């Protein structure tokens, strides 16, 4: 669009933004490039959504939290849940506000709480536990010579990491995985109603689980993050109540789990496709830091999230009417040629690498980024070191996750050479 416009007219533009179509699941980047070039603030009529694709516009939206509200920032659709689902959810507690979907001043209170408890020291102390957990998971399948990296490693490792920080016992990890997966499915709201009812049941079970866990720590505090959150919640002028605190570990579990699962799958597949960059990246610690950033830029696990416009707003040269939904497209911004030279190439020595938007920008920038980076810097080299000759197994080794705002795999089948390998960390 070259003129400011309020009324969307998708018929003017033949660009198809269909993130769930097989061709765009395989390779969405040509469509993003066209959107950036031809209609950088793209109105998608089927989704009733303005999609912001240029880097400068995306950052401007993310930094203007007064105009662009984060309420419902992780919901693809604002349609109310079916009555059966609403009834099930009513057995629990309101799901919002969380850190992710709150605005000021609530967001500032919650972020202050998390910042106080989720310290750099606590994250740095996780390096050895992450390495140990990753080593144990690899031990479990190493001698088979093949594995599904998502099923047998990718989801489990980040969940173990966040559970360990929070103080969740290992025996509960499996059900937390199921509950958080169901929560994501509930947010997507695309499955049959009977399934959605069971997802809602899981979410309520998860709420009760964390309330009980916090109450236990309230009586008997420990060294874990849940105890630290409770302590931080009691400080300050406006103490938070138990339900408000309960939403924090729920939020951390879901935000800190599937995102890293996707980053591990995307990262391994990209590195298998780029052996030269892999050799560089795994060759020295500085290159490893840069390589992790480049993987996140190239295949951003969170492709985009949502904002709601509070007053008419101009983005680029498009006027977005008050009340509209906006998708801030981190992944399209991360391939903006005005910011990143040869944006589709994997180049860990590129200029300006660190300005990528894979963790967002502004007040909602990812609070778990230091943990995510640490996990990736530990596990990616470990996988390539332990699984000698790692390669994709067969033609249909990978399968993409069918999800509107994220990018990752549900399956990455790999194989490696077992003979002569010693195992062990
Ligand atoms: C590679 C992995 C990860 C990616 C790509 C990622 C991406 C993001 C992005 C893009 C946002 C900004 C959302 C917005 O603009 O509305 C965000 C926020 C957030 N992330 Fe992450 N994240 C990752 C890992 C983690 C981890 C490990 C945790 C926790 C342990 C975490 C917890 C959160 C939370 C709580 C927020 C909300 C922060 C706020 O609204 O103030 N994330 N993340």
């Amino acid at each position: 669009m070259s003129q400011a416009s309020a009324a969307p007219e998708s018929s003017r533009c033949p660009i198809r933004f269909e993130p769930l179509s097989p061709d765009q699941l395989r390779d969405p980047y040509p469509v993003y490039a066209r959107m950036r070039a031809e209609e950088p603030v793209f109105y998608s009529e089927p989704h009733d959504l303005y999609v912001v694709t240029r880097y400068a516009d995306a950052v401007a939206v993310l930094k203007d939290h007064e105009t662009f509200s984060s309420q419902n920032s992780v919901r693809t659709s604002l349609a109310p849940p079916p009555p059966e689902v609403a009834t099930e959810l009513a057995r629990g507690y309101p799901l919002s506000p969380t850190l992710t979907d709150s605005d000021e001043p609530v967001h500032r209170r919650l972020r202050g709480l998390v910042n106080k408890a989720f310290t750099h020291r606590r994250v740095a102390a996780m390096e050895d536990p992450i390495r140990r957990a990753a080593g144990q998971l690899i031990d479990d399948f190493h001698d088979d010579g093949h594995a599904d990296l998502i099923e047998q490693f990718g989801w489990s490792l980040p969940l173990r990491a966040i559970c360990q920080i929070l103080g969740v016992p290992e025996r509960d990890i499996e059900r937390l995985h199921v509950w958080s997966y169901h929560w994501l499915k509930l947010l997507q709201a695309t499955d049959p109603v009977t399934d959605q009812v069971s997802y809602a049941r899981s979410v309520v079970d998860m709420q009760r689980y964390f309330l009980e866990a916090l109450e236990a720590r309230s009586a008997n505090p420990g060294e874990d993050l849940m105890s630290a959150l409770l302590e931080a919640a009691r400080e300050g002028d406006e103490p938070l109540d138990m339900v408000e605190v309960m939403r924090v570990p729920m939020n951390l579990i879901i935000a800190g789990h599937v995102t890293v699962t996707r980053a591990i799958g995307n990262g391994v597949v990209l590195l298998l496709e780029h052996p030269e960059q892999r050799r560089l990246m795994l060759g020295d610690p500085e290159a490893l830091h840069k390589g992790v950033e480049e993987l996140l830029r190239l295949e951003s696990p969170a492709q985009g999230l949502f904002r709601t416009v509070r007053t008419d707003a101009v983005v680029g040269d498009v006027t977005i009417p008050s009340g509209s939904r906006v998708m801030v497209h981190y992944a399209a911004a991360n391939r903006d040629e005005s910011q990143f030279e040869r944006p589709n190439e994997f180049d860990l020595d590129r200029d300006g690498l660190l300005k990528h938007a894979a963790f967002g920008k502004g007040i909602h920038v990812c609070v778990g980024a230091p943990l995510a980076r640490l996990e990736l810097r530990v596990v990616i080299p470990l996988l390539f070191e332990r699984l000698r000759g790692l390669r994709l197994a067969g033609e249909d080794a990978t399968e993409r996750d069918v999800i509107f705002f994220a990018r990752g795999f549900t399956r990455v089948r790999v194989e490696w050479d077992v003979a002569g390998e010693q195992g062990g960390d």
Side-chain angles (χ1 to χ4, degrees), residues 62 70 73 99-100 107 111 118 162 251-252 255-256 259-260 263 296 301-302 305 307 330 357-360 363-369 371-372 375-376:
L62 291 172
S70 274
S73 64
L99 198 52
T100 317
H107 176 265
R111 184 87 188 204
F118 197 29
I162 188 67
N251 192 200
L252 290 175
T259 43
V260 181
L296 292 168
L305 285 179
R307 296 291 188 266
Y330 317 114
F359 289 116
I363 61 167
H364 289 277
V365 69
C366 180
V367 78
L371 177 63
E375 291 177 62
L376 295 171

Side-chain angles (χ1 to χ4, degrees), residues 199-221:
Y199 302 154
R201 205 165 292 140
S202 291
V203 172
V204 174
D205 288 344
M206 193 172 172
Q207 290 180 321
R208 296 213 170 114
Y209 175 89
F210 276 110
L211 269 182
E212 274 173 31
L214 286 165
E215 267 149 20
R217 277 158 186 83
S218 185
N220 190 10

Side-chain angles (χ1 to χ4, degrees), residues 36 38 42 157 166 258 296 324 337 355 375 379-380:
R36 278 192 310 272
E38 295 171 28
F42 176 85
L157 193 274
L166 284 167
V258 283
L296 292 168
S324 305
E337 32 293 281
K355 71 182 169 199
E375 291 177 62
V379 306
I380 288 182

